Amino acid sequence: MRLIKALKKAKDSLQEDIAAVFNRDPAARNSAEVLLTYPGIHALILHRGAHYLWNKNHKFSARALSYGSRMITGIEIHPAAQIGRRFFIDHGMGVVIGETAKIGDDVTLYHGVTLGGVSLGQGKRHPTLEDGVIVGAGAKVLGPFTVGKNAKIGSNAVVVKPVPAEATMVGSAARMIGKVVEDVNSKGSEGSGEKSTTDSTTKQDFSCPDKATQQLDSQHSGDTRPTSGHLNSQSLDSQNLDNKKRKLTEKVDFTAYGLNPDSEDPVAEAFNKILTHIQHSEKRIYELQQALSKLDPSFQPTDIDSKILSADELDIINQ
Protein backbone atom coordinates (compact mmCIF):
# COMPACT_ATOMS: atom_id res chain seq x y z
CA MET A 1 0.00 0.00 0.00
CA ARG A 2 2.84 2.37 0.88
CA LEU A 3 4.56 1.54 -2.42
CA ILE A 4 1.39 2.34 -4.40
CA LYS A 5 1.06 5.69 -2.66
CA ALA A 6 4.71 6.49 -3.34
CA LEU A 7 4.33 5.59 -7.03
CA LYS A 8 1.17 7.70 -7.33
CA LYS A 9 2.93 10.66 -5.69
CA ALA A 10 5.91 10.25 -8.04
CA LYS A 11 3.58 10.15 -11.06
CA ASP A 12 1.75 13.30 -9.95
CA SER A 13 5.04 15.11 -9.38
CA LEU A 14 6.31 14.09 -12.81
CA GLN A 15 3.12 15.30 -14.48
CA GLU A 16 3.48 18.64 -12.70
CA ASP A 17 7.12 18.91 -13.76
CA ILE A 18 6.30 18.20 -17.41
CA ALA A 19 3.42 20.68 -17.36
CA ALA A 20 5.75 23.30 -15.86
CA VAL A 21 8.03 22.89 -18.88
CA PHE A 22 5.14 23.69 -21.23
CA ASN A 23 4.27 26.76 -19.17
CA ARG A 24 7.82 28.17 -19.36
CA ASP A 25 9.38 26.87 -22.57
CA PRO A 26 7.63 27.73 -25.86
CA ALA A 27 9.90 25.25 -27.68
CA ALA A 28 8.26 22.27 -25.92
CA ARG A 29 5.90 20.40 -28.25
CA ASN A 30 4.64 17.26 -26.52
CA SER A 31 5.03 15.29 -23.31
CA ALA A 32 7.08 12.48 -24.85
CA GLU A 33 9.64 14.94 -26.20
CA VAL A 34 9.94 16.67 -22.82
CA LEU A 35 10.26 13.38 -20.91
CA LEU A 36 12.88 11.91 -23.24
CA THR A 37 15.01 14.88 -24.31
CA TYR A 38 14.99 17.49 -21.51
CA PRO A 39 18.01 17.09 -19.20
CA GLY A 40 16.36 19.27 -16.53
CA ILE A 41 13.58 16.68 -16.16
CA HIS A 42 16.08 13.82 -16.00
CA ALA A 43 18.17 15.60 -13.36
CA LEU A 44 15.08 16.33 -11.27
CA ILE A 45 13.86 12.72 -11.39
CA LEU A 46 17.28 11.38 -10.41
CA HIS A 47 17.64 13.99 -7.66
CA ARG A 48 14.38 12.89 -6.06
CA GLY A 49 15.73 9.36 -5.87
CA ALA A 50 19.07 10.54 -4.49
CA HIS A 51 17.35 12.80 -1.96
CA TYR A 52 15.23 9.89 -0.75
CA LEU A 53 18.35 7.75 -0.28
CA TRP A 54 20.12 10.60 1.51
CA ASN A 55 17.25 11.00 3.98
CA LYS A 56 17.29 7.24 4.60
CA ASN A 57 20.98 7.54 5.56
CA HIS A 58 22.24 5.77 2.42
CA LYS A 59 24.76 8.54 1.83
CA PHE A 60 27.11 6.74 -0.54
CA SER A 61 24.29 5.45 -2.76
CA ALA A 62 22.80 8.94 -2.88
CA ARG A 63 26.14 10.49 -3.88
CA ALA A 64 26.71 7.79 -6.49
CA LEU A 65 23.28 8.43 -8.04
CA SER A 66 23.92 12.17 -7.96
CA TYR A 67 27.28 11.67 -9.68
CA GLY A 68 25.66 9.52 -12.36
CA SER A 69 23.05 12.22 -12.94
CA ARG A 70 25.85 14.78 -13.35
CA MET A 71 27.58 12.61 -15.96
CA ILE A 72 24.35 12.12 -17.94
CA THR A 73 22.81 15.60 -17.74
CA GLY A 74 25.65 18.00 -16.95
CA ILE A 75 23.65 19.20 -13.93
CA GLU A 76 25.10 18.74 -10.44
CA ILE A 77 22.60 18.71 -7.57
CA HIS A 78 23.72 17.63 -4.13
CA PRO A 79 21.43 14.89 -2.73
CA ALA A 80 20.76 16.94 0.42
CA ALA A 81 19.45 19.98 -1.51
CA GLN A 82 15.75 20.65 -0.91
CA ILE A 83 13.74 21.36 -4.07
CA GLY A 84 10.07 22.35 -4.29
CA ARG A 85 7.37 21.62 -6.84
CA ARG A 86 7.34 22.55 -10.54
CA PHE A 87 11.08 23.26 -10.57
CA PHE A 88 12.41 23.86 -14.09
CA ILE A 89 16.02 23.87 -15.32
CA ASP A 90 16.16 25.11 -18.91
CA HIS A 91 19.06 23.80 -21.06
CA GLY A 92 20.76 22.79 -17.81
CA MET A 93 24.42 22.37 -18.71
CA GLY A 94 26.70 23.64 -15.96
CA VAL A 95 24.07 24.11 -13.24
CA VAL A 96 25.41 23.48 -9.72
CA ILE A 97 23.18 23.34 -6.62
CA GLY A 98 24.91 23.01 -3.25
CA GLU A 99 24.17 20.82 -0.26
CA THR A 100 22.28 23.30 1.94
CA ALA A 101 20.43 25.07 -0.86
CA LYS A 102 16.65 25.34 -0.54
CA ILE A 103 14.45 25.97 -3.58
CA GLY A 104 10.76 26.86 -3.41
CA ASP A 105 7.93 26.16 -5.84
CA ASP A 106 7.80 27.38 -9.47
CA VAL A 107 11.50 28.31 -9.56
CA THR A 108 13.33 28.52 -12.91
CA LEU A 109 17.08 28.20 -13.47
CA TYR A 110 18.93 28.57 -16.76
CA HIS A 111 22.23 27.01 -17.83
CA GLY A 112 25.40 27.85 -15.98
CA VAL A 113 23.69 28.87 -12.72
CA THR A 114 25.55 28.23 -9.47
CA LEU A 115 23.87 28.15 -6.06
CA GLY A 116 27.07 28.02 -4.06
CA GLY A 117 28.63 28.81 -0.72
CA VAL A 118 31.39 31.13 0.45
CA SER A 119 32.39 29.47 3.74
CA LEU A 120 33.94 26.18 4.84
CA GLY A 121 31.65 25.67 7.85
CA GLN A 122 29.29 22.76 8.30
CA GLY A 123 26.12 24.84 8.71
CA LYS A 124 23.96 26.66 6.21
CA ARG A 125 26.27 27.72 3.36
CA HIS A 126 24.05 28.00 0.30
CA PRO A 127 21.19 30.31 -0.70
CA THR A 128 17.45 29.87 -0.25
CA LEU A 129 15.29 30.65 -3.28
CA GLU A 130 11.66 31.39 -2.48
CA ASP A 131 8.69 30.67 -4.76
CA GLY A 132 8.71 32.02 -8.30
CA VAL A 133 12.38 33.06 -8.47
CA ILE A 134 14.01 33.23 -11.93
CA VAL A 135 17.81 33.00 -12.25
CA GLY A 136 19.30 33.88 -15.63
CA ALA A 137 22.04 32.06 -17.52
CA GLY A 138 25.47 32.10 -15.90
CA ALA A 139 24.35 33.82 -12.70
CA LYS A 140 26.10 32.99 -9.42
CA VAL A 141 24.17 33.16 -6.13
CA LEU A 142 26.72 32.72 -3.36
CA GLY A 143 26.08 32.60 0.36
CA PRO A 144 23.54 31.59 3.03
CA PHE A 145 20.94 34.28 2.34
CA THR A 146 17.41 34.40 0.93
CA VAL A 147 16.29 35.45 -2.53
CA GLY A 148 12.76 36.78 -2.09
CA LYS A 149 9.59 35.61 -3.75
CA ASN A 150 9.29 36.30 -7.51
CA ALA A 151 12.70 37.97 -7.65
CA LYS A 152 14.69 37.93 -10.90
CA ILE A 153 18.45 37.61 -11.23
CA GLY A 154 19.96 38.69 -14.53
CA SER A 155 22.34 36.70 -16.67
CA ASN A 156 25.95 36.53 -15.38
CA ALA A 157 25.03 38.44 -12.22
CA VAL A 158 26.96 37.68 -9.04
CA VAL A 159 24.67 37.92 -6.01
CA VAL A 160 26.29 37.90 -2.57
CA LYS A 161 23.61 39.52 -0.40
CA PRO A 162 19.87 39.05 0.29
CA VAL A 163 17.44 39.96 -2.48
CA PRO A 164 14.02 41.48 -1.65
CA ALA A 165 10.82 39.99 -3.05
CA GLU A 166 9.88 41.13 -6.59
CA ALA A 167 13.33 42.71 -7.10
CA THR A 168 15.51 42.52 -10.21
CA MET A 169 19.27 42.13 -9.75
CA VAL A 170 21.94 42.62 -12.44
CA GLY A 171 25.70 43.05 -12.62
CA SER A 172 28.77 41.93 -10.70
CA ALA A 173 28.44 42.44 -7.82
CA ALA A 174 24.71 42.50 -8.39
CA ARG A 175 22.67 45.63 -7.73
CA MET A 176 18.93 46.13 -7.72
CA ILE A 177 17.61 47.97 -10.80
CA GLY A 178 13.90 47.60 -10.20
CA LYS A 179 11.29 46.41 -7.76
CA VAL A 180 7.97 45.56 -9.37
CA VAL A 181 4.94 45.51 -7.10
CA GLU A 182 1.56 44.79 -8.65
CA ASP A 183 -1.10 47.18 -7.37
CA VAL A 184 -4.38 45.33 -7.72
CA ASN A 185 -6.23 47.73 -5.42
CA SER A 186 -5.98 50.53 -7.97
CA LYS A 187 -8.31 48.61 -10.28
CA GLY A 188 -11.07 48.40 -7.68
CA SER A 189 -12.87 45.40 -6.39
CA GLU A 190 -13.84 44.27 -9.88
CA GLY A 191 -10.26 44.21 -11.08
CA SER A 192 -9.20 42.42 -7.93
CA GLY A 193 -11.80 39.76 -8.55
CA GLU A 194 -10.58 39.30 -12.10
CA LYS A 195 -7.00 38.87 -10.90
CA SER A 196 -7.96 36.28 -8.31
CA THR A 197 -9.89 34.38 -10.96
CA THR A 198 -6.88 34.49 -13.26
CA ASP A 199 -4.55 33.30 -10.51
CA SER A 200 -6.78 30.39 -9.61
CA THR A 201 -7.01 29.43 -13.26
CA THR A 202 -3.24 29.60 -13.64
CA LYS A 203 -2.67 27.39 -10.61
CA GLN A 204 -5.20 24.79 -11.69
CA ASP A 205 -4.40 24.83 -15.40
CA PHE A 206 -1.14 22.89 -15.48
CA SER A 207 -2.09 21.00 -18.63
CA CYS A 208 0.14 20.15 -21.56
CA PRO A 209 -0.76 21.40 -25.06
CA ASP A 210 -0.88 17.86 -26.45
CA LYS A 211 -3.47 16.93 -23.78
CA ALA A 212 -5.53 20.00 -24.62
CA THR A 213 -5.45 19.01 -28.29
CA GLN A 214 -6.58 15.49 -27.42
CA GLN A 215 -9.53 16.94 -25.49
CA LEU A 216 -10.54 19.03 -28.47
CA ASP A 217 -10.24 16.02 -30.79
CA SER A 218 -12.31 13.83 -28.47
CA GLN A 219 -15.18 16.34 -28.52
CA HIS A 220 -15.91 15.71 -32.19
CA SER A 221 -14.35 12.27 -32.77
CA GLY A 222 -17.73 10.64 -33.38
CA ASP A 223 -19.32 13.53 -35.27
CA THR A 224 -18.86 13.52 -39.04
CA ARG A 225 -21.20 16.51 -39.50
CA PRO A 226 -20.77 18.90 -36.58
CA THR A 227 -23.39 21.56 -36.04
CA SER A 228 -22.66 25.27 -36.19
CA GLY A 229 -22.87 25.45 -32.40
CA HIS A 230 -20.27 22.70 -32.14
CA LEU A 231 -17.99 24.52 -34.57
CA ASN A 232 -18.37 27.76 -32.63
CA SER A 233 -17.53 25.96 -29.40
CA GLN A 234 -14.43 24.39 -30.95
CA SER A 235 -13.25 27.70 -32.43
CA LEU A 236 -13.71 29.40 -29.05
CA ASP A 237 -11.72 26.67 -27.31
CA SER A 238 -8.97 26.97 -29.91
CA GLN A 239 -8.97 30.77 -29.59
CA ASN A 240 -8.74 30.55 -25.79
CA LEU A 241 -5.77 28.19 -26.11
CA ASP A 242 -4.03 30.62 -28.51
CA ASN A 243 -4.72 33.54 -26.16
CA LYS A 244 -3.27 31.57 -23.26
CA LYS A 245 -0.09 30.83 -25.23
CA ARG A 246 0.19 34.48 -26.28
CA LYS A 247 -0.17 35.73 -22.69
CA LEU A 248 2.37 33.15 -21.55
CA THR A 249 4.84 34.32 -24.20
CA GLU A 250 4.41 37.96 -23.15
CA LYS A 251 4.84 36.98 -19.50
CA VAL A 252 8.15 35.12 -19.85
CA ASP A 253 9.53 36.75 -23.01
CA PHE A 254 12.53 38.59 -21.55
CA THR A 255 12.00 38.57 -17.82
CA ALA A 256 13.28 35.00 -17.78
CA TYR A 257 16.79 36.42 -17.93
CA GLY A 258 16.21 38.80 -15.05
CA LEU A 259 15.36 42.00 -16.91
CA ASN A 260 12.19 43.75 -17.94
CA PRO A 261 11.43 46.08 -20.87
CA ASP A 262 11.57 49.14 -18.57
CA SER A 263 15.12 48.45 -17.40
CA GLU A 264 18.06 50.25 -19.04
CA ASP A 265 21.36 48.78 -20.11
CA PRO A 266 24.00 50.25 -17.71
CA VAL A 267 26.46 51.06 -20.52
CA ALA A 268 23.80 52.69 -22.69
CA GLU A 269 22.57 54.67 -19.69
CA ALA A 270 26.12 55.96 -19.03
CA PHE A 271 26.55 57.04 -22.66
CA ASN A 272 23.20 58.83 -22.57
CA LYS A 273 24.30 60.79 -19.49
CA ILE A 274 27.62 61.73 -21.15
CA LEU A 275 25.85 62.92 -24.31
CA THR A 276 23.35 64.92 -22.26
CA HIS A 277 26.22 66.58 -20.37
CA ILE A 278 27.97 67.46 -23.66
CA GLN A 279 24.79 69.02 -25.03
CA HIS A 280 24.37 71.15 -21.90
CA SER A 281 28.03 72.22 -22.07
CA GLU A 282 27.72 73.27 -25.71
CA LYS A 283 24.59 75.26 -24.91
CA ARG A 284 26.39 77.09 -22.08
CA ILE A 285 29.36 77.88 -24.36
CA TYR A 286 26.99 79.27 -26.98
CA GLU A 287 25.26 81.45 -24.36
CA LEU A 288 28.65 82.74 -23.12
CA GLN A 289 29.69 83.62 -26.67
CA GLN A 290 26.48 85.54 -27.23
CA ALA A 291 27.02 87.46 -23.98
CA LEU A 292 30.63 88.29 -24.92
CA SER A 293 29.64 89.52 -28.38
CA LYS A 294 27.19 91.95 -26.75
CA LEU A 295 29.88 93.26 -24.42
CA ASP A 296 32.58 93.47 -27.12
CA PRO A 297 31.35 94.10 -30.70
CA SER A 298 34.73 93.04 -32.06
CA PHE A 299 34.29 89.54 -30.59
CA GLN A 300 33.36 86.99 -33.24
CA PRO A 301 31.56 83.83 -32.00
CA THR A 302 32.84 80.58 -33.52
CA ASP A 303 30.88 77.47 -34.31
CA ILE A 304 32.32 74.65 -32.20
CA ASP A 305 31.17 71.91 -34.56
CA SER A 306 32.72 73.46 -37.67
CA LYS A 307 36.04 74.45 -36.10
CA ILE A 308 39.01 72.40 -37.32
CA LEU A 309 42.02 72.05 -35.05
CA SER A 310 45.29 73.29 -36.50
CA ALA A 311 48.58 71.38 -36.40
CA ASP A 312 49.88 73.59 -33.61
CA GLU A 313 46.81 72.96 -31.51
CA LEU A 314 47.12 69.22 -32.08
CA ASP A 315 50.77 69.35 -30.94
CA ILE A 316 49.73 71.12 -27.75
CA ILE A 317 47.09 68.41 -27.10
CA ASN A 318 49.64 65.66 -27.67
CA GLN A 319 52.06 67.29 -25.24
Side-chain angles (χ1 to χ4, degrees), residues 50 53 58-71 79:
L53 292 173
H58 300 295
K59 308 292 186 184
F60 180 80
S61 299
R63 290 305 300 264
L65 184 57
S66 173
Y67 181 69
S69 173
R70 177 184 178 229
M71 294 179 63

Side-chain angles (χ1 to χ4, degrees), residues 17 44 48 82-87 102-106:
D17 295 334
L44 190 55
R48 289 203 176 106
Q82 301 178 32
I83 296 178
R85 299 167 58 189
R86 298 181 293 276
F87 178 55
K102 294 183 180 180
I103 298 175
D105 299 337
D106 302 305

